[in-house]
Amino acid sequence: MKQKIVIAGGSGFLGQALAEYLAKECEVVVLTRHPSPSCPHGREVGWDGRTLGDWAKELENTVALINLAGVSVDCRYTAKNRRLIMDSRIDSTRVLGEAMVRCLQPPKVWLNSSTATIYKHTYSAAWDETGEIGATAEAKDAYSIEVATAWERVFNEAKTPRTRKVALRTAMVMGHGRNSVFPVMRRMIRLGLGGQMGDGRQYMSWIHEVDFCRAIEWLIAREEVSGVVNLAAPNPVTNAEMMRTFREVCGMPFGLPAAKWMLEIGAVFLRTETELIIKSRRVVPGRLLREGFQFKFSEVRMALEDLEHGGEMSAGKMPA
Ligand SMILES: NC(=O)c1ccc[n+]([C@@H]2O[C@H](COP(=O)([O-])OP(=O)(O)OC[C@H]3O[C@@H](n4cnc5c(N)ncnc54)[C@H](OP(=O)(O)O)[C@@H]3O)[C@@H](O)[C@H]2O)c1
């Protein structure tokens, strides 16, 4: 019999990539607010992300629970959106903890999403899991840090003596799925708008979707690993280098740069926040490397070339 894995919030970009990857060896159950009978990779079960219900039975006798639920942060941080971003993460994590307590045979491991954005804006030090946490006025990231720390606090507070817990501090995942940054950046590059953003010195931490899935599979198997783990490729690059490499991979000889003031105006029209672009995220996978995880895509050029040529995953793939 196949081992069972539950992915809460598994209908989105990362959830569908993971479901596709894990369904080769496991039975995958996705918890979603809008279950569909025709789920391509596994079975969908309804929940509301807030209250206990029949869905909780799905956690019995599973090898892993992976929680990816949360409203997208790619929006304007209005009071309403702030509440949705925070509540969707806190409520889903809290109710999963409550469901776990009621399990006769709870999951062996619970991997809960967090974010690499939790670390302090930095141009110099590369942060592994011991890196500094905190907001800076320059990065305008006070709200994101508040969300990330509250999210991890609720996860840490959940009492699950029979279940190993891992908080996933995930960097920007590069893939083809809906909500991935890759198709958005590629469109900008092809329109000639792929120059550096701001002064281009800010670091971008990233991970290829295949390595994201492989790292999750590896963490499920490694019974000695618990606590916080950074999911990021070992070589973050500056924004200037990212954009230059992207242009080269796409065969685009030029790209108009965007000054900070242009980004501020553009963000209003695109209904997003400049923090997502301006904050310098220099995050490295200290624990994954120390414990012997081998990245398939450790350099950004390798990752971008793979994705530009189609990539391995098919979940949610956008047309080239
Ligand atoms: N993508 C990245 O690069 C990245 C990087 C770092 C961290 N993360 C984190 O990883 C998680 C998954 O990311 P993603 O890119 O896969 O996001 P996504 O495509 O937006 O998917 C998020 C999932 O959350 C569920 N959801 C949304 N609002 C919810 C609510 N109010 N209550 C319960 N569930 C809700 C949605 O499921 P239904 O609508 O089907 O219920 C959806 O499947 C997120 O928490 C994100 O913050 C992502």
Side-chain angles (χ1 to χ4, degrees), residues 215-231:
I216 296 279
E217 182 185 42
W218 187 88
L219 286 166
I220 292 172
R222 295 296 294 255
E223 288 177 13
E224 68 283 16
V225 181
S226 60
V228 166
V229 174
N230 291 350
L231 295 190

Side-chain angles (χ1 to χ4, degrees), residues 180-253:
S180 164
V181 75
F182 174 80
V184 178
M185 284 172 74
R186 184 169 61 178
R187 222 170 14 252
M188 283 173 57
I189 301 268
R190 288 177 176 176
L191 289 170
L193 300 172
Q196 71 180 38
M197 298 163 175
D199 65 14
R201 285 191 309 130
Q202 71 277 28
Y203 275 84
M204 299 175 77
S205 283
W206 58 277
I207 182 168
H208 189 295
E209 61 182 354
V210 167
D211 277 334
F212 172 82
C213 295
R214 291 176 63 246
I216 296 279
E217 182 185 42
W218 187 88
L219 286 166
I220 292 172
R222 295 296 294 255
E223 288 177 13
E224 68 283 16
V225 181
S226 60
V228 166
V229 174
N230 291 350
L231 295 190
N235 298 298
V237 291
T238 62
N239 174 274
E241 187 178 344
M242 171 70 83
M243 300 314 285
R244 186 171 53 247
T245 310
F246 216 141
R247 288 195 303 274
E248 286 167 9
V249 167
C250 292
M252 190 67 182

Side-chain angles (χ1 to χ4, degrees), residues 156-175:
N156 290 333
E157 282 169 3
K159 297 213 170 10
T160 59
R162 290 175 291 163
T163 300
R164 176 166 62 94
K165 291 198 292 186
V166 181
L168 309 167
R169 289 187 178 162
T170 308
M172 173 177 76
V173 183
M174 293 281 209

